[in-house]
Amino acid sequence: MIATLRVLLITVWIPLHTACWGQMVYYQDTFKGGVTGGGFNPSAISHFPGSIELYIEPGSTVRKALLFVGVYNAAETFKTALLNNNSVDLNAYSGSLSAPFTFWSSSLPAPILMRSLIIDITEKVSFSTNGATTIAVAPPEEQLNVVSGYGRYVEYYVLITYSNNQMEEISTLALVNETNCAATMNYVIADMNPIDTSKTIGLSVHGSQFCNITGDGSYVSVNNQPVGLIGGKDTNNIGACSGSTGTFYYQNQQLYGLSDDTANVTMHGPDALADISPYLTGTTELEVRFDYQLETPPNFPQSNPIWQLFFAYTSICEAFETTLTERVKMCANVSSVQLEATGGQ
């Protein structure tokens, strides 16, 4: 059976490879409402439960909820995590897998493969939309050590966009790392929805293995301008070297820090959130660089893993709404099917 599609449909939230070097823009959107995100890294104590602090403006509806999971070695192992007591399957088929990257610390006998597993949990997990909320995370139990040949699901980050017609427009972008850990890591982000550089621009970093800022931190710069030195245990994390994670929400052109993160123009220690508007000159492209703090072995020239970068800002482009035919049934003896889409430019 050959079906002729008369209308080409393109959605913007599916994984898209852009001009970025060694990264994947997984999600990009512009709409009226806000975005909130936060992480939980249980580190080597991988079965211990934890929580993520988020904020959803009352009167809003969840537009998209994404779970980013750090996978060590392989994702073939079938496990289950609990988010707000809702079961979420973790395996190579439960979501989208990024390309692998390598990490090699002084405590490991050899480099290991790491990748992000991204799962759409919009319809799988219930969320409170009454303001400040906490997401309970229970990782899978009985996971083997990270240096074994089996996969482990360790780092967790939840990103939620919420729609609200009473609020200003917002743009958000989720960038997934696919670059091997190195002493210097550059992320050139291009083809973004054009940025209004006069407004607050939020950058949140989800990393791990940042033990401290006395020898195992990473300097962060944007467009070759220093933003700060991050490293150390985040408030939400378990384990001394579980890394720094940016927890935030952005709405009505303002950035707000949650947990131990502050919405100023710098990053420091476990505070992996910053307003990067002072460092931008262009409207569609920027560069974020991480420089490992040490310049001598044993860790150098390796560095700390970066899992994802999250951006929240105001765009100079207006949002538009679309409608499309999501499902069409056809019989085996029908040679074509009509698909329809409206709206957009």
Side-chain angles (χ1 to χ4, degrees), residues 5 14 17 26 31 77 79 122 127 136 144 147 153 158 169 178 194 227 231 245 267 288 304 311 326 335-336:
L5 303 183
I14 59 176
H17 285 275
Y26 185 85
F31 57 95
T77 307
K79 296 289 185 179
T122 310
F127 302 99
L144 297 178
V147 298
Y153 304 94
V158 174
E169 288 184 356
E178 296 180 328
V227 177
T245 300
M267 296 181 181
V288 181
N304 300 307
F311 298 87
E326 295 186 356
S335 60
S336 65

Side-chain angles (χ1 to χ4, degrees), residues 80-95:
T80 300
L82 295 178
L83 270 70
N84 285 348
N85 291 320
N86 301 120
S87 297
V88 177
D89 293 332
L90 304 178
N91 57 71
Y93 312 101
S94 61

Side-chain angles (χ1 to χ4, degrees), residues 122-200:
T122 310
E123 304 296 333
K124 298 179 181 179
V125 179
S126 57
F127 302 99
S128 170
T129 56
N130 294 319
T133 184
T134 299
I135 307 298
V137 181
E141 296 184 356
E142 299 178 356
Q143 296 197 96
L144 297 178
N145 190 280
V146 66
V147 298
S148 72
Y150 297 91
R152 276 207 324 173
Y153 304 94
V154 180
E155 277 75 22
Y156 300 84
Y157 196 99
V158 174
L159 184 77
I160 298 177
T161 57
Y162 48 95
S163 298
N164 191 321
N165 288 329
Q166 305 304 313
M167 300 172 67
E168 300 290 335
E169 288 184 356
I170 178 179
S171 288
T172 186
L173 182 146
L175 185 75
V176 177
N177 177 45
E178 296 180 328
T179 302
N180 293 338
C181 294
T184 297
M185 294 184 289
N186 289 292
Y187 299 90
V188 179
I189 301 99
D191 300 328
M192 302 177 69
N193 289 336
I195 303 168
D196 185 343
T197 56
S198 68
K199 304 296 192 303
T200 302

Side-chain angles (χ1 to χ4, degrees), residues 39-62:
F40 167 60
N41 294 353
S43 189
I45 315 172
S46 59
H47 64 281
F48 277 26
S51 61
I52 300 172
E53 300 175 44
L54 298 177
Y55 180 90
I56 300 176
E57 183 68 18
S60 304
T61 58
V62 173

Side-chain angles (χ1 to χ4, degrees), residues 275-290:
D275 168 17
I276 60 172
S277 58
Y279 313 109
L280 266 62
T281 54
T283 60
T284 60
E285 184 173 327
L286 61 94
E287 177 182 325
V288 181
R289 191 178 76 244
F290 295 86

